[in-house]
Structure formats: structure tokens, C-alpha cells
């Protein structure tokens, strides 16, 4: 296969834990051709969507954390010239990201195969998408109105506030009804009532970990990565200092995974990361889910291999 990965700058990738790197390494081991481009390398030109892409050769083993690849010269290649294009640009999901999904959707109409589906990415905000499955989520509120948030806090006494476009735990606050900074936190997050945010009841099970469950082609990987907060923290995100430990899926984890898996896969979402705290679904990650390497390192399951298997089966 000829695979193109839309990524952040290669020098910013941490190969010890990056899932895109794991997928590229697995694909290279199967002698698939790799290409890479950045979000600004997409263009509509001469009535087709093209990518300004470079061939990518992995150095195996890497010479250093920053010397793990060699790139070829930039080539102008129609996206239909690849067997698959994997959109792995990290959030923020800003206006430029949305424009990229429009271009990628145009490429789909021309016959390109895009993973994950650009419409699927655009239609599933990683925070808001959980509201489609109310049977699995904690008490939640989505609003920009301070009074509604204060009422929610009065009802639940201990809540989490988070922006709808963040990643890695950025901008997340735990607020209790005794907090003297409630007003300024709400003002900051909602930008004085002009930005919509999400509030959720605080889940004390976070001390046992914020479980990342990977779904590949509608099916869950058998182990989740429980991201356990460091002392004094309420965020389990690895980017916020959490520690990742694998856990077998619980019956509730499987119920959530199996209910969502096929529904979301039919919408073109091949690789998904569900976040589950205790028995509650808190996020559905569709842009660039991570956790592959940590699960593989601790369990021996070749998670990247499962993903490349799914790609090969969908193309052949």
C-alpha cells in the first residue's frame, strides 16, 4: 500500500509513545510505502485535491529521538494517488482543521480513502459526541451561561469544567461549591459567556484511572490504558503527568465499546479512543487517538498491527 500520514511536524513527534509512529513502523515492516505531509500541505488545484508530500523512510533502530527518519523531496501528489490517507493532525480543532476536513471530503468524493472520515471527524466533537449515548455518561451540562453552571454546581457540589476544543487535559478545572474562585473560573472558560463549555459531575473513580479504550474497525482492543493522575491532580492525561497502566476491559467497558463500536465505524471512524472513568463514558476521541505503544509495551498485543490489518482488509 501507498500510505500518506497527515501529521504535526515530524521533529515534534515523541517516538517512544506516539501512535502514528507505531503505525508507520508497523506499515514499514510490511513493506508499505510511507509519505508524510502537514495540514498546510493540502490544496485544491486544477480541480483536484493534492498533497505536497514527502516520501518517508524510517531509520530502524532510530539513531536518536530526533533522528528516526529520512524524507524525500516534496512531491505534488493527488490524494487519489494513495491507497489511504490517515488524518493524524493533533487538535486544537480550529478553523484550519475544519478547512482541512472540507478538502479531505472533496478528495473522498474524487475516490480517495481517508481515515478517519473527514465528515466523521467534523461531526463528532470529542466532548459533545458522548451526548448521543446518554445511558453511558455522567450527569453533564453544555452551556455558555454562568447561571446554568452555578445551578449544576449547586446540584452536584463537585464538578469538572472543560472547553470543547482542548486536548491532553488542557483547560480542565475541578470546581467545588466551596471554591472562592468559581466566578473567575467560569468567566475564564466561557470568555464571559461567549464560549460554550461542558460541565460534568466529578467522578471519584478517577483515582483508579481515566481508561483509554481503543476501538479499531468497530472492535475494542482487549486492554485499556488506565491513566492514573499524579498526586494532587484530578487529570489522568499522560500530558498532564498521569501514569499509564493497562487494565483488562470490564463488562461495562465492553458494553460501552460494543454499543458504540459498530455505530461509529459505519460513519467512517476506523480508529477511536473512548475515555471511560469508572462506569461512565466521558469523551470520544476521533482526531488522533493515542495509547497504542503503552498498551503494546505492557501486554504484548501489537495494537498498531491490528490497525494496519484493518487498513489492509478495508483496501483489499
Amino acid at each position: 500500500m501507498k500510505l500518506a500520514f497527515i501529521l504535526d511536524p515530524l521533529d515534534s513527534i515523541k517516538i517512544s509513545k506516539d501512535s502514528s509512529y507505531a503505525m508507520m513502523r508497523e506499515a514499514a515492516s510490511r513493506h508499505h510505502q510511507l509519505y508524510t505531509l502537514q495540514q498546510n500541505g493540502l490544496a485544491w488545484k486544477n480541480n483536484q485535491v493534492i498533497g505536497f508530500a514527502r516520501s518517508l523512510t524510517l531509520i530502524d533502530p532510530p539513531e536518536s529521538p530526533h533522528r528516526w527518519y529520512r524524507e524525500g523531496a516534496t512531491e505534488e501528489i493527488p490524494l487519489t494517488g494513495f491507497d489511504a490517507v490517515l488524518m493524524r493532525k493533533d487538535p486544537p480543532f480550529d478553523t484550519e482543521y475544519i478547512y482541512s476536513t472540507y478538502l479531505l471530503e472533496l478528495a473522498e468524493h474524487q475516490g480517495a480513502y481517508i481515515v478517519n472520515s473527514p465528515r466523521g471527524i467534523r461531526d463528532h466533537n470529542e466532548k459533545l459526541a458522548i451526548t448521543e449515548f446518554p445511558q453511558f455518561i455522567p450527569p453533564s451540562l453544555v452551556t455558555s451561561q454562568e447561571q446554568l453552571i452555578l445551578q449544576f454546581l449547586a446540584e452536584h457540589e463537585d464538578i469538572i469544567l472543560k472547553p470543547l476544543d482542548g486536548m491532553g487535559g488542557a483547560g480542565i478545572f475541578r470546581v467545588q461549591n466551596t471554591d472562592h474562585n468559581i466566578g473567575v473560573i467560569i468567566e475564564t472558560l466561557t470568555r464571559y459567556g461567549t464560549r460554550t463549555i461542558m460541565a460534568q459531575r466529578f467522578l471519584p473513580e478517577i483515582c483508579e484511572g481515566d481508561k483509554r479504550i481503543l476501538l479499531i474497525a468497530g472492535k475494542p482492543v482487549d486492554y485499556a490504558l488506565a491513566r492514573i493522575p499524579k498526586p494532587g491532580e484530578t487529570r489522568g492525561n499522560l500530558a498532564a503527568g498521569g501514569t499509564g497502566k493497562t487494565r483488562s476491559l470490564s463488562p461495562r467497558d465492553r458494553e460501552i465499546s460494543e454499543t458504540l463500536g459498530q455505530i461509529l465505524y459505519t460513519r467512517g471512524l476506523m480508529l477511536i479512543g473512548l475515555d471511560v472513568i469508572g462506569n461512565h463514558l466521558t469523551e470520544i476521541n476521533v482526531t488522533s487517538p493515542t495509547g497504542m505503544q503503552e498498551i503494546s509495551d505492557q501486554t504484548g498485543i501489537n495494537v498498531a498491527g491490528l490497525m494496519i490489518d484493518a487498513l489492509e482488509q478495508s483496501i483489499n
Side-chain angles (χ1 to χ4, degrees):
M1 295 189 296
K2 188 175 180 179
L3 304 177
F5 285 77
I6 303 173
L7 300 167
D8 289 299
L10 295 183
D11 287 343
S12 71
I13 291 176
K14 297 178 180 178
I15 61 172
S16 61
K17 59 183 180 180
D18 189 87
S19 292
S20 296
Y21 173 72
M23 287 186 276
M24 291 189 292
R25 185 178 58 193
E26 178 67 26
S29 74
R30 304 185 188 195
H31 306 292
H32 297 309
Q33 294 177 272
L34 301 180
Y35 285 79
T36 182
L37 65 152
Q38 294 179 31
Q39 184 172 258
N40 64 4
L42 293 171
W44 168 264
K45 180 181 177 184
N46 297 328
N47 297 323
Q48 61 182 347
V49 180
I50 62 169
F52 291 93
R54 293 172 177 259
S55 62
L56 185 70
T57 302
L58 303 187
I59 300 172
D60 189 19
E63 296 175 0
S64 75
H66 298 291
R67 289 183 56 82
W68 55 270
Y69 66 90
R70 289 190 294 271
E71 285 186 293
T74 300
E75 302 176 53
E76 183 179 314
I77 304 174
L79 295 196
T80 52
F82 299 103
D83 292 293
V85 177
L86 288 85
M87 179 52 162
R88 293 286 301 175
K89 168 76 174 66
D90 281 340
F93 194 86
D94 54 15
T95 304
E96 282 301 314
Y97 207 121
I98 292 173
Y99 293 156
S100 295
T101 67
Y102 291 145
L103 288 171
L104 291 172
E105 191 170 12
L106 285 171
E108 273 189 331
H109 295 327
Q110 295 176 335
Y113 181 41
I114 313 296
V115 178
N116 282 326
S117 157
R119 176 179 288 274
I121 292 175
R122 199 169 58 243
D123 287 351
H124 293 81
N125 175 276
E126 299 190 326
K127 309 297 189 293
L128 280 173
I130 65 170
T131 59
E132 184 179 350
F133 308 98
Q135 68 271 37
F136 297 130
I137 70 175
S140 301
L141 170 72
V142 178
T143 185
S144 61
Q145 297 184 37
E146 180 179 9
Q147 191 57 40
L148 290 180
I149 298 169
L150 292 174
Q151 291 171 1
F152 188 80
L153 175 60
E155 178 182 0
H156 296 287
E157 300 184 345
D158 193 351
I159 65 174
I160 294 292
L161 300 177
K162 53 187 174 182
L164 298 179
D165 60 354
M167 65 166 290
I172 294 178
F173 287 84
R174 179 183 178 184
V175 179
Q176 296 170 304
N177 56 5
T178 56
D179 197 320
H180 296 295
N181 296 307
I182 294 170
V184 69
I185 291 172
I186 295 174
E187 289 170 1
T188 299
L189 284 178
T190 67
R191 296 176 184 166
Y192 295 91
T194 64
R195 183 172 73 163
T196 302
I197 66 170
M198 174 172 277
Q200 291 179 327
R201 188 187 72 198
F202 175 71
L203 299 172
E205 297 92 338
I206 185 62
C207 66
E208 300 168 4
D210 181 352
K211 292 175 286 187
R212 167 59 55 84
I213 302 171
L214 292 175
L215 304 181
I216 297 173
K219 298 178 181 178
V221 177
D222 287 335
Y223 288 84
L225 182 68
R227 298 160 296 171
I228 301 168
K230 66 181 181 182
E233 261 285 2
T234 57
R235 300 172 299 170
N237 308 76
L238 301 183
T243 301
K245 295 185 178 180
T246 54
R247 300 276 190 271
S248 297
L249 299 190
S250 69
R252 177 67 165 183
D253 295 337
R254 290 197 178 276
E255 180 186 7
I256 294 171
S257 301
E258 291 168 5
T259 301
L260 273 63
Q262 287 303 314
I263 293 173
L264 298 177
Y265 183 42
T266 61
R267 299 173 186 173
L269 298 170
M270 178 178 284
L271 178 60
I272 300 167
L274 304 180
D275 288 350
V276 176
I277 299 174
N279 289 322
H280 294 93
L281 173 70
T282 60
E283 292 187 18
I284 300 174
N285 296 273
V286 300
T287 50
S288 56
T290 61
M292 283 187 179
Q293 291 208 55
E294 293 87 349
I295 294 173
S296 295
D297 290 344
Q298 294 183 37
T299 68
I301 295 174
N302 184 357
V303 183
L306 297 177
M307 180 61 189
I308 301 302
D309 285 345
L311 266 181
E312 291 173 341
Q313 291 165 13
S314 65
I315 291 170
N316 295 330

